[in-house]
């Protein structure tokens, strides 16, 4: 609410109605404080400070435990208030040595997109034998991914998938997907399982 007269007394006076001031009032009220006064030189509810120009993004990857806990707490609050929109994403680097998009493949039959990122040569030449991360965008993903479901598995490129699987099977490795072309494609792949039950993909590089 707004006031035209300054009250004679208050338990606390918070100056600045941006995100910090509003959050402070919110937490004090939750702790049982009453008679709180929040003041700002601009008109409420949009006084025109820096908060009004903020991008409203929340990144779950933070540089310290304290900032991560603050972000997690903010996310929970916005969800409780019904004003949180989860868009998702993945961060692969924060420096100038970040990964580059190497190639992209649209698969309309399977309704997903594959994006391969890695460290391309600085001279712009095509990468050869570099490690890659394969990102999958599922077009019809209705439910947001949770921690533990957003990451799929590791993959290793080998010159001959069938021969590699035969050698691993001879050593007692469990094969969960026999060598063969990937669905909606021609690349030969296979899946094996490590002693802890984690699956690893073998991709034939040619």
């Amino acid at each position: 609410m707004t006031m035209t007269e300054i009250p004679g007394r208050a338990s606390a006076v918070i100056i600045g109605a941006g995100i910090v001031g509003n959050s402070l009032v919110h937490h004090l009220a939750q702790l049982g404080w009453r008679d709180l006064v929040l003041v700002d030189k601009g008109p409420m509810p949009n006084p025109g400070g820096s908060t009004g120009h903020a991008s409203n993004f929340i990144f779950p990857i933070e540089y310290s435990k304290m900032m991560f806990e603050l972000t997690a707490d903010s996310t929970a609050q916005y969800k409780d208030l019904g004003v949180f929109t989860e868009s998702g994403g993945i961060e692969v680097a924060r420096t100038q040595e970040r990964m580059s998009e190497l190639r992209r493949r649209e698969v309309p039959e399977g309704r997903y997109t594959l994006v391969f990122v890695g460290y391309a040569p600085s001279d712009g030449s095509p990468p050869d034998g570099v490690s890659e991360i394969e990102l999958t965008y599922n077009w019809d993903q209705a439910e947001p991914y949770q921690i533990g479901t957003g990451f799929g598995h590791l993959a290793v490129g080998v010159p001959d998938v069938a021969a590699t699987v035969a050698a691993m099977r001879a050593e007692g490795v469990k094969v969960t997907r026999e060598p063969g072309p990937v669905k909606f494609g021609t690349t030969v792949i296979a899946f094996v399982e490590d002693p802890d039950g984690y699956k690893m993909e073998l991709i034939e590089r040619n």
Side-chain angles (χ1 to χ4, degrees), residues 6-89:
I6 299 177
R9 62 175 300 278
S11 298
V13 177
I14 296 89
I15 301 174
I19 186 64
V20 175
N22 276 283
S23 296
L24 181 57
V25 170
H26 170 76
H27 285 289
L28 288 175
Q30 284 192 322
L31 292 173
W33 286 52
R34 297 296 180 264
D35 298 324
L36 300 171
V37 176
L38 178 66
V39 297
D40 199 286
K41 63 180 181 180
M44 300 292 190
N46 300 309
S50 59
T51 296
H53 306 291
S55 61
N56 300 322
F57 290 146
I58 293 180
F59 296 97
I61 301 175
E62 294 291 350
Y63 56 86
S64 71
K65 180 180 179 181
M66 181 189 72
M67 289 303 300
F68 171 78
E69 291 176 344
L70 177 62
T71 299
D73 183 68
S74 299
T75 301
Q77 288 186 50
Y78 291 140
K79 286 183 176 180
D80 290 341
L81 293 172
V83 296
F84 184 74
T85 300
E86 188 167 0
S87 57

Side-chain angles (χ1 to χ4, degrees), residues 178-192:
E178 294 295 332
V182 65
K183 190 175 182 180
F184 307 116
T186 59
T187 303
V188 177
I189 66 169
F191 276 87
V192 296

Side-chain angles (χ1 to χ4, degrees), residues 34-145:
R34 297 296 180 264
D35 298 324
L36 300 171
V37 176
L38 178 66
V39 297
D40 199 286
K41 63 180 181 180
M44 300 292 190
N46 300 309
S50 59
T51 296
H53 306 291
S55 61
N56 300 322
F57 290 146
I58 293 180
F59 296 97
I61 301 175
E62 294 291 350
Y63 56 86
S64 71
K65 180 180 179 181
M66 181 189 72
M67 289 303 300
F68 171 78
E69 291 176 344
L70 177 62
T71 299
D73 183 68
S74 299
T75 301
Q77 288 186 50
Y78 291 140
K79 286 183 176 180
D80 290 341
L81 293 172
V83 296
F84 184 74
T85 300
E86 188 167 0
S87 57
I90 183 171
E91 183 170 330
V92 295
R94 286 193 173 196
T95 67
Q96 292 184 354
E97 292 76 27
R98 61 187 179 275
M99 291 183 172
S100 302
E101 181 178 325
L102 303 178
R103 62 188 184 281
R104 179 181 296 240
R105 181 187 171 208
E106 303 287 349
V107 188
E109 309 97 304
R111 299 193 60 75
Y112 64 86
T113 301
L114 298 178
V115 179
F116 298 85
V117 297
Y119 296 106
S122 58
D123 60 3
S125 60
D128 182 21
V130 300
S131 299
E132 299 177 352
I133 294 179
E134 177 183 334
L135 309 177
T136 303
Y137 168 63
N138 294 300
W139 299 357
D140 303 316
Q141 179 70 27
E143 297 295 327
Y145 291 110

Side-chain angles (χ1 to χ4, degrees), residues 154-167:
L154 296 176
V156 177
V158 297
D160 188 330
V161 168
T164 302
V165 167

